[in-house]
Amino acid sequence: MIEIFPNSLISFFIALITKIYLLSKRKYRDIKISLYYHPYKSHIPTTYFIIKSMFLSANQLNLYLQDIRAHSELANIIIIGSHINYEELFRNHYRVFGVIDTTENKSLKFIRNQIHFYLDSLYGSKNV
Protein backbone atom coordinates (compact mmCIF):
# COMPACT_ATOMS: atom_id res chain seq x y z
CA MET A 1 0.00 0.00 0.00
CA ILE A 2 1.23 3.48 -0.88
CA GLU A 3 -0.52 6.53 0.56
CA ILE A 4 0.10 10.05 -0.76
CA PHE A 5 -1.32 12.99 1.20
CA PRO A 6 -2.52 15.71 1.74
CA ASN A 7 -4.18 16.31 -1.61
CA SER A 8 -2.55 18.90 -3.83
CA LEU A 9 -1.27 19.21 -7.38
CA ILE A 10 2.06 17.76 -6.32
CA SER A 11 0.35 14.75 -4.71
CA PHE A 12 -1.42 13.97 -8.01
CA PHE A 13 1.93 14.31 -9.81
CA ILE A 14 3.55 11.93 -7.31
CA ALA A 15 0.68 9.45 -7.72
CA LEU A 16 1.15 9.55 -11.50
CA ILE A 17 4.92 9.03 -11.22
CA THR A 18 4.35 6.15 -8.80
CA LYS A 19 1.76 4.49 -11.05
CA ILE A 20 4.06 4.74 -14.07
CA TYR A 21 6.94 3.32 -12.01
CA LEU A 22 4.85 0.39 -10.78
CA LEU A 23 3.57 -0.30 -14.29
CA SER A 24 7.12 -0.36 -15.63
CA LYS A 25 8.11 -2.84 -12.91
CA ARG A 26 4.92 -4.88 -13.42
CA LYS A 27 3.94 -4.45 -9.79
CA TYR A 28 0.89 -2.23 -10.25
CA ARG A 29 -1.58 -5.00 -9.42
CA ASP A 30 0.29 -5.92 -6.24
CA ILE A 31 0.47 -2.44 -4.70
CA LYS A 32 -2.49 -0.16 -4.13
CA ILE A 33 -2.09 3.65 -4.25
CA SER A 34 -4.39 6.01 -2.37
CA LEU A 35 -4.53 9.80 -2.14
CA TYR A 36 -5.73 10.02 1.43
CA TYR A 37 -4.41 9.26 4.88
CA HIS A 38 -5.60 6.15 6.63
CA PRO A 39 -3.08 4.49 8.96
CA TYR A 40 -2.97 0.70 8.89
CA LYS A 41 -1.98 -1.76 11.56
CA SER A 42 -0.49 -4.43 9.39
CA HIS A 43 2.42 -6.82 9.14
CA ILE A 44 2.93 -5.52 5.57
CA PRO A 45 4.76 -2.18 5.48
CA THR A 46 2.87 0.76 4.04
CA THR A 47 4.72 3.57 2.27
CA TYR A 48 3.57 7.08 3.11
CA PHE A 49 4.46 10.09 0.95
CA ILE A 50 3.76 13.20 3.03
CA ILE A 51 3.70 16.43 1.06
CA LYS A 52 5.04 19.31 3.18
CA SER A 53 3.68 22.54 1.74
CA MET A 54 2.39 25.86 2.99
CA PHE A 55 -0.94 24.13 3.64
CA LEU A 56 0.61 21.57 6.01
CA SER A 57 2.06 23.11 9.15
CA ALA A 58 4.97 21.63 11.07
CA ASN A 59 2.58 20.69 13.89
CA GLN A 60 0.28 18.84 11.48
CA LEU A 61 3.28 17.04 9.99
CA ASN A 62 4.38 15.95 13.47
CA LEU A 63 0.86 14.70 14.25
CA TYR A 64 0.87 12.62 11.05
CA LEU A 65 4.28 11.19 11.91
CA GLN A 66 3.24 10.35 15.48
CA ASP A 67 0.03 8.71 14.30
CA ILE A 68 1.78 6.65 11.62
CA ARG A 69 4.38 5.41 14.11
CA ALA A 70 1.67 4.61 16.66
CA HIS A 71 0.01 2.35 14.09
CA SER A 72 3.02 0.82 12.41
CA GLU A 73 6.67 0.33 13.24
CA LEU A 74 7.21 -0.99 9.70
CA ALA A 75 5.88 2.06 7.83
CA ASN A 76 8.15 3.71 5.28
CA ILE A 77 7.73 7.47 5.48
CA ILE A 78 8.99 9.78 2.75
CA ILE A 79 8.56 13.53 3.22
CA ILE A 80 8.52 15.77 0.15
CA GLY A 81 8.72 19.53 0.55
CA SER A 82 10.76 22.56 1.42
CA HIS A 83 12.05 23.95 4.70
CA ILE A 84 11.91 20.64 6.53
CA ASN A 85 12.97 20.73 10.17
CA TYR A 86 15.50 17.88 10.27
CA GLU A 87 16.35 18.53 13.92
CA GLU A 88 12.72 17.94 14.90
CA LEU A 89 12.61 14.70 12.89
CA PHE A 90 15.70 13.29 14.59
CA ARG A 91 14.89 14.62 18.07
CA ASN A 92 11.50 12.87 18.03
CA HIS A 93 12.86 9.61 16.50
CA TYR A 94 10.27 9.45 13.71
CA ARG A 95 12.50 7.11 11.65
CA VAL A 96 11.75 8.70 8.31
CA PHE A 97 12.83 6.53 5.38
CA GLY A 98 13.62 9.50 3.16
CA VAL A 99 13.30 13.20 2.58
CA ILE A 100 13.02 14.89 -0.80
CA ASP A 101 13.99 18.45 0.03
CA THR A 102 12.73 20.88 -2.61
CA THR A 103 14.06 24.01 -0.89
CA GLU A 104 16.70 24.60 -3.55
CA ASN A 105 15.52 22.41 -6.44
CA LYS A 106 11.79 22.38 -7.17
CA SER A 107 12.01 20.83 -10.64
CA LEU A 108 9.64 17.99 -11.43
CA LYS A 109 12.50 15.99 -12.95
CA PHE A 110 14.43 16.18 -9.66
CA ILE A 111 11.35 15.06 -7.70
CA ARG A 112 10.70 12.22 -10.16
CA ASN A 113 14.29 10.98 -9.95
CA GLN A 114 14.21 11.05 -6.15
CA ILE A 115 10.90 9.18 -6.05
CA HIS A 116 12.31 6.52 -8.40
CA PHE A 117 15.37 6.22 -6.16
CA TYR A 118 13.23 5.55 -3.08
CA LEU A 119 10.81 3.24 -4.91
CA ASP A 120 13.78 1.25 -6.25
CA SER A 121 15.02 0.89 -2.68
CA LEU A 122 11.62 -0.29 -1.45
CA TYR A 123 10.30 -2.38 -4.33
CA GLY A 124 13.42 -3.58 -6.10
CA SER A 125 15.38 -2.15 -8.97
CA LYS A 126 15.25 -5.16 -11.28
CA ASN A 127 14.56 -4.20 -14.86
CA VAL A 128 11.83 -6.22 -16.50
Side-chain angles (χ1 to χ4, degrees):
M1 173 67 106
I2 296 175
E3 294 189 9
I4 304 165
F5 61 93
N7 284 336
S8 66
L9 286 176
I10 194 77
S11 65
F12 292 114
F13 173 73
I14 292 166
L16 179 64
I17 288 172
T18 305
K19 284 181 185 181
I20 292 170
Y21 174 87
L22 294 174
L23 282 170
S24 72
K25 301 296 181 181
R26 299 180 190 231
K27 295 183 181 199
Y28 186 69
R29 292 183 184 182
D30 301 334
I31 302 168
K32 183 179 174 187
I33 299 172
S34 70
L35 289 170
Y36 62 91
Y37 174 64
H38 181 74
Y40 291 93
K41 283 193 175 190
S42 173
H43 65 283
I44 301 169
T46 299
T47 301
Y48 296 92
F49 285 96
I50 304 174
I51 314 302
K52 170 94 172 56
S53 67
M54 68 176 120
F55 303 111
L56 182 69
S57 70
N59 288 338
Q60 290 172 316
L61 176 65
N62 289 336
L63 289 174
Y64 277 133
L65 293 170
Q66 289 170 5
D67 196 41
I68 290 168
R69 282 295 166 225
H71 285 88
S72 175
E73 292 292 320
L74 300 175
N76 299 304
I77 302 168
I78 301 168
I79 300 172
I80 303 172
S82 59
H83 306 294
I84 295 168
N85 187 345
Y86 293 100
E87 184 178 319
E88 178 100 10
L89 293 176
F90 292 119
R91 183 175 55 236
N92 291 314
H93 305 288
Y94 289 131
R95 295 184 326 276
V96 174
F97 182 72
V99 175
I100 301 173
D101 194 341
T102 60
T103 304
E104 294 185 19
N105 189 351
K106 294 180 184 351
S107 76
L108 297 179
K109 185 176 181 181
F110 168 74
I111 294 170
R112 184 198 69 205
N113 291 340
Q114 291 294 305
I115 290 171
H116 283 191
F117 172 76
Y118 288 119
L119 291 174
D120 280 343
S121 299
L122 292 169
Y123 300 108
S125 61
K126 285 185 177 179
N127 290 331
V128 176

